Amino acid sequence: MEHHQYEQQVLHDLRAWQEQMLRRPTLVNQLAARFQKKVNSFIPEKVHKGITTTLRQMIKAVLFGAKITSRPPVSYSSLQAQEAAVIERIEFYKKTAAAEGGITGAGGILLGLADFPLLLSLKLKLLFEICSLSGFDVRDYRERVYLLHIFQLAFSSHQHRREVYLQMVDWETQKQHLPEDINEFDWRTFQQEYRDYIDLAKMAQLVPIIGAPVGAIANYMLLQKLGTTALNAYRMRYKETLHLPASTSANS
């Protein structure tokens, strides 16, 4: 496809995605959220606490640790070439996550629980690669905060997703107001939203016999969702460099 045509198609697809991010929760969404809370109430508190602690420690260590190992920003001749590289990495991580989920799912509860930090690590690595391939420097603290927003956008309820999206619009301006101390970040909401999002699919992975196929499929789909969200988040940055207006009005 000719570069100009590809760019026009990307902007068209981005508009549709932005409208989806701004859509208000439907009655079905609200009922699903209530059902999720009910399911969570049956899960032992020690499991919840373990996941929450792991989530906070891993993300803070990887995203905000002193030693960040990642490739430098990559420059491509066209948006089409850049996105081809991004999509290739998304496919790689989807297959890797599916294989890992199948193995841990087949191992029962102990290995199933081990899947949480393993899957989280794959998600963060994918985000780092997409950031670099999109031409941004992941060593920049503010770019890592943007990755944290992408993470939230992919794994949050409809209402919270809308709030996060609005925080990402015009990031070049938004990032000037970031807290100096990352501990000021709203970790509690972040953990709860992520945990609620993945619990329903991932808890079935702990069940004997069905754990392996459930783990493989769930991991594959979760990486697909994260990859698609990141792809569009960086399309939004690209659009802003063209000085085109971003979608910030909500649909009723």
Side-chain angles (χ1 to χ4, degrees):
M1 185 185 296
E2 184 190 338
H3 173 60
H4 179 70
Q5 286 181 307
Y6 183 85
E7 190 174 276
Q8 290 303 308
Q9 183 61 49
V10 161
L11 293 176
H12 177 270
D13 293 345
L14 175 61
R15 259 192 311 274
W17 178 80
Q18 289 177 305
E19 289 172 5
Q20 183 183 353
M21 293 299 103
L22 286 165
R23 202 168 292 147
R24 293 183 182 278
T26 63
L27 178 59
V28 173
N29 297 142
Q30 292 170 355
L31 290 174
R34 290 177 191 170
F35 177 68
Q36 179 67 72
K37 288 184 179 179
K38 187 67 176 175
V39 170
N40 283 348
S41 69
F42 297 125
I43 298 168
E45 184 59 29
K46 64 180 180 181
V47 174
H48 279 301
K49 287 183 177 178
I51 293 171
T52 298
T53 301
T54 299
L55 188 64
R56 181 180 64 250
Q57 291 177 344
M58 280 196 66
I59 291 181
K60 289 179 75 172
V62 175
L63 286 182
F64 306 104
K67 297 179 180 179
I68 301 295
T69 56
S70 181
R71 69 171 79 185
V74 183
S75 179
Y76 290 93
S77 59
S78 68
L79 179 63
Q80 187 170 0
Q82 173 186 303
E83 294 203 341
V86 169
I87 291 169
E88 185 277 325
R89 297 317 290 162
I90 293 173
E91 291 300 314
F92 170 80
Y93 278 94
K94 280 164 55 180
K95 292 172 184 174
T96 303
E100 179 267 312
I103 293 168
T104 54
I109 292 178
L110 290 178
L111 274 178
L113 289 174
D115 176 60
F116 283 95
L118 291 173
L119 180 63
L120 181 57
S121 178
L122 288 175
K123 288 175 179 175
L124 295 173
K125 287 177 181 177
L126 173 60
L127 286 179
F128 270 48
E129 290 215 39
I130 293 177
C131 176
S132 297
L133 292 171
S134 299
F136 296 93
D137 192 345
V138 78
R139 293 168 295 184
D140 184 337
Y141 154 78
R142 297 169 301 179
E143 291 304 328
R144 283 176 265 149
V145 174
Y146 190 71
L147 295 183
L148 202 55
H149 280 70
I150 293 174
F151 199 98
Q152 289 186 94
L153 204 58
F155 305 119
S156 292
S157 64
H158 267 67
Q159 182 57 42
H160 187 63
R161 183 176 69 189
R162 189 170 176 274
E163 295 168 4
V164 172
Y165 168 80
L166 291 173
Q167 292 169 11
M168 296 170 69
V169 173
D170 188 18
W171 184 250
E172 292 305 311
T173 299
Q174 300 268 27
K175 69 183 185 182
Q176 304 303 324
H177 306 291
L178 292 176
E180 290 295 324
D181 183 0
I182 191 54
N183 289 305
E184 293 178 28
F185 190 83
D186 187 358
W187 287 105
R188 182 170 182 174
T189 299
F190 176 87
Q191 293 156 18
Q192 187 64 49
E193 290 288 339
Y194 176 67
R195 199 174 62 191
D196 285 355
Y197 186 92
I198 67 169
D199 269 351
L200 195 57
K202 298 299 290 179
M203 283 302 164
Q205 187 179 330
L206 306 184
V207 180
I209 303 174
I210 69 166
V214 167
I217 294 169
N219 282 10
Y220 187 90
M221 298 304 293
L222 289 168
L223 265 291
Q224 172 66 64
K225 183 169 183 63
L226 181 62
T228 300
T229 303
L231 182 68
N232 280 290
Y234 283 107
R235 283 176 171 178
M236 188 161 66
R237 298 282 292 277
Y238 176 78
K239 179 180 180 181
E240 288 168 357
T241 65
L242 301 176
H243 304 295
L244 299 175
S247 295
T248 55
S249 60
N251 292 341
S252 59

